[in-house]
């Protein structure tokens, strides 16, 4: 690159400005500066920059030749004198020209700076997530950033030059141009797109005058979508919370147990005491006597009442599934166990587990349960480490466990572990006072349920209830009253209304001495069992169990007697 050697005559303001400006050019070398005033500020600056200083223009021009001489002395005649001293090949720039040159250089520098700032601003504006749009005071769109296009899908060249009064009449910019005031938080749909946006717009004021307006808007479509998702999830969570609440809700308290007989009063008093203890309880009694009701009351009367009460019917679940139901399983523990599943013991942690029909538990599980009671820890199926649990166990059975122990179907050690406190609920036929009390309770309950106004039982109806054996106990009584009150039209329940339910009591017994053909008896018993437990598969399983026949035999007999089930 060609280097221009420069000399400066005059080290005042002009000389100093020249030094400052020309030093920045790579192809200009200031080789000397001259001034008769030793104190001239330009000389000090020159020394700092390593430029040779001279006492006069003559001495400088005599010792060196330059390509260009700047004369900035302010002396009108100086240029003429210098011209004489320099060769023709040296260009002489006088003070006025130098000034113009310096101004031009400064302007250029400023322009370069503005360009740089503009580029920086463009990067900043384009990296913003928000859309930005600038209009002049007439509403002509001057600028849109990349965020604008990203949100609206409209390219900049399709928008710049349009009038905002045409393309977005309801927008925030139009409002600002109309009012001259900022417009904040305006929700809108971006014109020409589906994007939901929220805009903040403000006037652009230059020298006290509004020259246009700018809007910054955010895409809130995603926020709206997420809000909807959140609402959906929240209502799901609320639903689950309700489920959990229901699981934890008190399903029965001692107040719900109807008992007028002294024998039941004793049982309740004992159970109330047992509730306060944390010991394992074994509830025994015939089917339908209220074992589950007592189990619930024991839980709600205990210190664990705010924690879950989890029930599991050991007879209703196939033996091979019961283990994972009780103790859970790890993911992949067996075919079909895709996810980790918590068992009832873990779900009941801190609360109570109610093991109904414990007499039907397989010997293998009896052994595992015994270990859980002893160690206070469980192991998930497929798991490797034991998990500590704090669960109170209440077990119930309508079977004679001592008999099961005798025939080797129930572990004696488990029996003693479970039978820490035994609550035995007598059958309904052994506590006649309760029959009428329960009947009165159910009349009230089903009056409310079916909008009836049944006042009570006739004396004969009461006698009938008292003379019945109640093989299905309280459950049977409840079912009879539910059906009777649903059907009754009068205000009193008469014996006629109850008769159809009592198979073994016949007003006009057609069979002599209560005898009847065996098959008819069998058919009646099956009908009765199905009435009692229902004709679902589970009901039939229970019915078969109550009749002490296999499920397959029950199905055969239903077919044989053409029973509707
Ligand atoms: N003393 C009572 N007071 C009020 N309701 C009772 C009473 N005893 C039982 N019940 C009601 O009778 C029905 C059967 O009771 P529950 O299910 O507790 O009997 P269970 O002995 O557990 O029967 P199963 O052995 O067949 O499981 C339930 O609706 C229960 O609320």
């Amino acid at each position: 690159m060609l280097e221009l050697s420069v000399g400066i005559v005059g080290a005042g303001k002009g000389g100093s400005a020249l030094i400052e400006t020309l030093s920045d050019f790579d192809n200009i070398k200031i080789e000397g500066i001259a001034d008769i005033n030793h104190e001239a500020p330009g000389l000090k600056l020159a020394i700092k920059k390593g430029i040779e200083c001279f006492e006069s223009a003559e001495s400088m021009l005599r010792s060196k030749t330059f390509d260009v001489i700047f004369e900035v002395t302010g002396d009108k005649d100086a240029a003429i004198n210098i011209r004489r001293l320099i060769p023709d090949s040296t260009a002489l720039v006088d003070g006025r020209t130098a000034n113009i040159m310096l101004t031009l250089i400064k302007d250029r520098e400023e322009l370069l700076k503005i360009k740089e700032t503009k580029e920086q601003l463009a990067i900043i504006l384009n990296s913003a997530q928000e859309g930005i749009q600038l209009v002049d005071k007439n509403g002509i769109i001057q600028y849109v950033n990349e965020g604008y296009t990203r949100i609206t899908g409209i390219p900049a060249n399709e928008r710049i030059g349009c009038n905002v009064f045409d393309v977005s009449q309801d927008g925030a910019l139009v409002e600002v141009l109309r009012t001259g005031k900022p417009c904040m938080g305006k929700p809108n749909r971006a014109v020409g797109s589906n994007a939901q946006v929220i805009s903040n717009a403000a006037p652009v004021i230059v020298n006290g005058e509004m020259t246009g307006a700018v809007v910054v808007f955010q895409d809130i479509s995603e926020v709206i979508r997420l809000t909807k998702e959140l609402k959906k999830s929240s209502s799901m969570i609320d639903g689950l919370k309700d489920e959990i609440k229901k699981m934890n809700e008190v399903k029965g308290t001692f107040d719900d147990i109807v008992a007028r007989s002294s024998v039941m009063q004793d049982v309740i008093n004992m159970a109330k005491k047992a509730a306060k203890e944390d010991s394992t309880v074994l509830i025994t009694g015939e089917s339908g006597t209220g074992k589950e009701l007592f189990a619930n009351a024991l839980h709600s009367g205990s210190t664990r009442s705010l924690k879950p009460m989890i029930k599991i019917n050991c007879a209703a679940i196939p033996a091979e599934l019961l283990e994972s139901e009780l103790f859970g399983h790890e993911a992949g523990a067996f075919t079909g166990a895709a996810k980790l599943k918590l068992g009832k013991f873990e779900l009941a942690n801190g609360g109570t587990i109610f093991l109904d029909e414990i007499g039907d538990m397989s010997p293998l599980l009896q052994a595992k349960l015994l270990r859980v009671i002893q160690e206070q820890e469980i192991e998930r199926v497929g798991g490797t480490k034991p998990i500590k649990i704090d669960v109170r166990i209440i077990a119930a059975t309508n079977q004679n466990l001592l008999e099961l122990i005798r025939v080797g179907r129930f572990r004696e050690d488990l029996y003693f572990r479970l039978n820490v406190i035994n609550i035995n609920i007598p059958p309904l036929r052994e506590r006649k006072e309760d029959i009428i009390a329960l009947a009165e309770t159910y009349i009230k309950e089903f009056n409310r349920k079916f909008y009836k106004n049944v006042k009570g039982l006739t004396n004969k109806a009461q006698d009938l209830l008292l003379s019945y054996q109640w093989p299905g106990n309280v459950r049977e009584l409840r079912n009879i009253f539910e059906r009777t009150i649903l059907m009754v039209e009068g205000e009193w329940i008469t014996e006629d209304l109850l008769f159809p339910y009592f198979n073994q009591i016949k007003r006009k017994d057609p069979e002599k001495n209560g005898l009847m053909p065996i098959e008819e008896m069998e058919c009646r018993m099956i009908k009765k069992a199905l009435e009692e437990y229902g004709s679902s598969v589970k009901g039939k399983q229970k019915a078969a169990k109550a009749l002490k026949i296999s499920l397959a035999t029950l199905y055969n007999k239903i077919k044989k007697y053409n029973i509707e089930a």
Side-chain angles (χ1 to χ4, degrees):
M1 200 195 325
L2 197 72
E3 196 172 70
L4 216 59
S5 69
V6 165
I8 301 170
V9 180
K13 253 192 190 166
S16 302
L18 276 171
I19 293 175
E20 292 281 17
T21 309
L22 299 181
S23 307
D24 289 343
F25 290 85
D26 290 341
N27 55 344
I28 291 178
K29 182 150 195 272
I30 306 171
E31 293 204 332
I33 184 163
D35 201 309
I36 46 172
N37 175 9
H38 291 198
E39 301 296 316
L43 293 179
K44 280 184 199 141
L45 185 63
I47 292 164
K48 250 197 227 161
K49 299 230 177 207
I51 300 166
E52 200 176 336
C53 298
F54 295 91
E55 289 179 343
S56 67
E58 289 79 7
S59 60
M60 183 174 81
L61 297 171
R62 243 183 266 122
S63 68
K64 283 186 175 223
T65 44
F66 301 90
D67 295 319
V68 183
I69 291 291
F70 285 93
E71 180 278 307
V72 280
T73 58
D75 177 354
K76 272 194 279 167
D77 302 327
I80 301 163
N81 291 336
I82 292 168
R83 182 78 268 171
R84 272 194 227 116
L85 294 169
I86 55 171
D88 289 348
S89 56
T90 301
L92 177 62
V93 179
D94 63 17
R96 240 182 92 230
T97 318
N99 257 341
I100 295 170
M101 202 190 83
L102 280 176
T103 311
L104 286 175
I105 291 173
K106 237 191 205 152
D107 283 356
R108 185 175 169 267
E109 273 172 3
E110 260 164 33
L111 275 174
L112 284 174
K113 240 186 221 156
I114 289 171
K115 199 174 159 227
E116 195 185 327
T117 313
K118 211 178 142 196
E119 275 164 14
Q120 284 169 346
L121 275 174
I123 293 172
I124 294 169
L125 292 174
N126 285 332
S127 57
Q129 291 301 308
E130 292 82 3
I132 302 170
Q133 185 175 220
L134 178 78
V135 293
D136 67 15
K137 63 178 177 201
N138 298 315
I140 308 296
I141 298 167
Q142 305 292 319
Y143 170 81
V144 298
N145 73 339
E146 286 175 9
Y148 177 97
T149 304
R150 206 173 33 247
I151 295 171
T152 63
I154 302 168
N157 59 4
E158 279 183 23
R159 255 306 132 92
I160 291 172
C162 296
N163 195 315
V164 78
F165 285 93
D166 296 332
V167 295
S168 181
Q169 289 158 6
D170 303 325
L173 275 178
V174 164
E175 199 172 319
V176 172
L177 290 175
R178 280 202 181 118
T179 62
K181 288 189 185 131
C183 164
M184 310 305 272
K186 186 177 173 90
N188 211 352
R189 192 177 281 277
V191 179
S193 82
N194 283 329
Q196 297 271 358
V197 297
I198 192 134
S199 309
N200 292 323
V204 176
I205 310 282
V206 178
N207 294 331
E209 232 182 77
M210 184 168 84
T211 60
V214 64
V215 66
V216 178
F217 59 86
Q218 277 174 333
D219 185 0
I220 53 164
S221 318
E222 189 60 8
V223 177
I224 290 174
R225 193 186 64 77
L226 288 175
T227 310
K228 275 187 194 153
E229 288 278 309
L230 197 69
K231 268 193 192 150
K232 229 162 99 186
S233 308
S234 301
S235 70
M236 247 168 82
I237 291 171
D238 285 348
L240 288 173
K241 270 191 194 156
D242 284 351
E243 288 289 311
I244 293 170
K245 214 171 133 201
K246 263 189 225 152
M247 270 170 76
N248 294 352
E249 245 168 28
V250 181
K251 291 176 201 130
T253 65
F254 284 111
D255 292 340
D256 298 315
I257 302 175
V258 177
R260 202 171 277 167
S261 63
S262 61
V263 47
M264 271 302 269
Q265 293 293 344
D266 290 347
V267 177
I268 290 174
N269 286 338
M270 181 185 167
K272 278 184 179 166
K273 277 186 206 142
K276 302 272 173 255
E277 305 293 324
D278 219 23
S279 324
T280 304
V281 178
L282 178 66
I283 308 175
T284 48
E286 285 179 15
S287 178
T289 44
K291 296 187 291 298
E292 187 172 343
L293 184 59
F294 265 85
N296 287 332
L298 281 167
H299 173 73
S300 42
S302 77
T303 50
R304 295 170 178 264
S305 62
L306 296 176
K307 294 290 167 91
M309 156 80 170
I310 305 281
K311 176 197 162 169
I312 185 157
N313 186 327
C314 305
I317 298 169
E320 59 281 10
L321 291 184
L322 188 59
E323 183 176 0
S324 91
E325 279 295 314
L326 284 174
F327 308 126
H329 60 68
E330 297 288 342
F334 48 82
T335 330
K339 287 191 207 148
L340 178 144
K341 179 184 158 163
L342 296 185
K344 303 280 187 199
F345 268 95
E346 270 183 271
L347 291 172
N349 210 0
T352 308
I353 191 164
F354 175 43
L355 303 172
D356 202 5
E357 316 256 11
I358 190 85
D360 288 288
M361 195 177 255
S362 72
L364 184 78
L365 270 182
Q366 287 180 32
K368 293 202 172 179
L369 178 62
L370 183 66
R371 240 192 347 266
V372 170
I373 299 175
Q374 282 164 347
E375 314 288 333
Q376 295 284 299
E377 55 189 30
I378 54 129
E379 210 165 278
R380 295 187 194 131
V381 178
T384 46
K385 54 177 192 328
I387 299 164
K388 273 269 161 231
I389 44 136
D390 164 29
V391 173
R392 181 189 197 180
I393 298 175
I394 299 177
T397 183
N398 53 20
Q399 300 192 61
N400 183 341
L401 287 187
L402 291 174
E403 180 57 21
L404 293 184
I405 293 169
R406 200 184 62 77
V407 295
R409 278 179 44 209
F410 204 82
R411 293 181 69 115
E412 191 173 21
D413 43 9
L414 178 61
Y415 173 78
F416 286 117
R417 284 280 180 176
L418 294 174
N419 198 28
V420 179
I421 299 174
N422 175 228
I423 294 175
N424 181 48
I425 309 174
L428 193 55
R429 63 186 162 276
E430 287 175 19
R431 42 189 171 105
K432 302 251 182 216
E433 301 100 300
D434 292 344
I435 296 175
I436 302 303
L438 282 160
E440 285 163 359
T441 305
Y442 291 137
I443 290 172
K444 277 190 208 139
E445 182 184 330
F446 295 117
N447 266 343
R448 274 197 307 274
K449 183 169 171 188
F450 301 127
Y451 305 105
K452 295 281 169 111
N453 190 23
V454 175
K455 293 207 159 61
L457 295 152
T458 61
N459 286 341
K460 280 192 177 164
Q462 284 196 23
D463 291 345
L464 188 58
L465 291 181
L466 294 173
S467 62
Y468 184 55
Q469 286 302 293
W470 298 107
N473 292 293
V474 186
R475 183 182 292 112
E476 187 184 9
L477 188 142
R478 192 175 193 279
N479 289 346
I480 288 176
F481 273 81
E482 181 166 11
R483 279 176 244 162
T484 307
I485 293 169
L486 177 68
M487 304 306 287
V488 72
E489 274 165 11
E491 289 189 333
W492 295 93
I493 295 182
T494 59
E495 55 171 339
D496 293 329
L497 288 169
L498 297 173
F499 247 121
Y501 300 110
F502 303 142
N503 289 341
Q504 81 259 56
I505 301 174
K506 289 275 170 191
R507 204 172 356 190
K508 286 182 219 137
D509 202 344
E511 300 84 13
K512 291 274 172 286
N513 311 323
L515 292 176
M516 68 177 87
I518 298 268
E519 287 203 334
E520 190 182 334
M521 171 79 118
E522 193 173 65
C523 174
R524 283 187 186 191
M525 285 301 120
I526 290 168
K527 276 188 187 160
K528 181 159 169 46
L530 290 173
E531 245 178 61
E532 178 57 29
Y533 296 106
S535 40
S536 65
V537 177
K538 232 163 136 187
K540 284 187 185 122
Q541 279 170 349
K542 282 193 170 184
K545 221 171 113 193
L547 296 167
K548 293 213 168 32
I549 55 175
S550 73
L551 191 59
T553 310
L554 179 69
Y555 274 108
N556 285 336
K557 304 234 181 236
I558 288 173
K559 208 166 155 203
K560 177 177 169 190
Y561 297 123
N562 208 7
I563 296 170
E564 265 182 49

